[in-house]
Structure formats: C-alpha cells, structure tokens
Amino acid sequence: MTTATTFVAFAYELRVANSMRFATLVLEHLSRHGINLHQLTVQSDWGTEFVGPANAKKNSPFVQLLEQVYGVTHRTIPVATPRCNGVVES
C-alpha cells in the first residue's frame, strides 16, 4: 500500500549520509505523531544512496538505520522495473 503523504528534501549529492538524514527526519516526525514505526515498510530503488555499492557484503548504513534503530522494514523494488520507480520516487 502506498500513502498520500509526501516528504521532500534537497541535497547537493546522492550519498548514504543524506539519505540517512532525510529518513531520520521523516521517521522522527512520524513517531512524534503517534505512528508505530514497527509497522512501516520503507521501499527504495537500488541507488547507492540507499543500498550502498552493489558488491557490499552487508546492509548499508541507511538500511541499518531503518531496521536496527527504528525497527522499520526496508525493501527494494525489483531490478530493471521502471514502472515501480514512480511509486518509490513519488
């Protein structure tokens, strides 16, 4: 299920650190408003700003932040499915 809520941020670089800052802001906002974060799933594409390098042996710091700190499930869209990009990027 997708939501009708939109959060927008701007950064000069596509980096894991910027994705982590944005996720922290959004998740803290949701938590302050009574949303149970353990029921959420964050979906992203396979960009290195989310999942890190393709040859990584472990989860990226972004995924670790979501799953270990906030208890949110992280999922990626299937590779080479542009029809799914509209959902994760909107």
Side-chain angles (χ1 to χ4, degrees):
M1 177 174 94
T2 59
T3 64
T5 304
T6 302
F7 295 91
V8 178
F10 177 80
Y12 288 105
E13 297 176 304
L14 293 175
R15 294 182 22 194
V16 171
N18 290 331
S19 298
M20 292 173 67
R21 286 184 190 104
F22 181 63
T24 298
L25 289 170
V26 171
L27 294 172
E28 290 292 331
H29 172 80
L30 294 174
S31 180
R32 280 193 308 273
H33 287 86
I35 304 298
N36 181 354
L37 301 181
H38 296 282
Q39 295 179 346
L40 296 181
T41 298
V42 172
Q43 189 173 12
S44 70
D45 60 18
W46 286 87
T48 56
E49 69 273 22
F50 303 116
V51 297
N55 61 352
K57 302 280 190 243
K58 61 180 182 174
N59 285 336
S60 74
F62 173 78
V63 174
Q64 291 175 24
L65 174 77
L66 294 178
E67 295 181 344
Q68 295 171 11
V69 175
Y70 289 103
V72 173
T73 301
H74 176 259
R75 298 279 184 255
T76 51
I77 61 172
V79 176
T81 52
R83 69 185 183 286
C84 295
N85 263 0
V87 175
V88 300
E89 294 181 3
S90 65

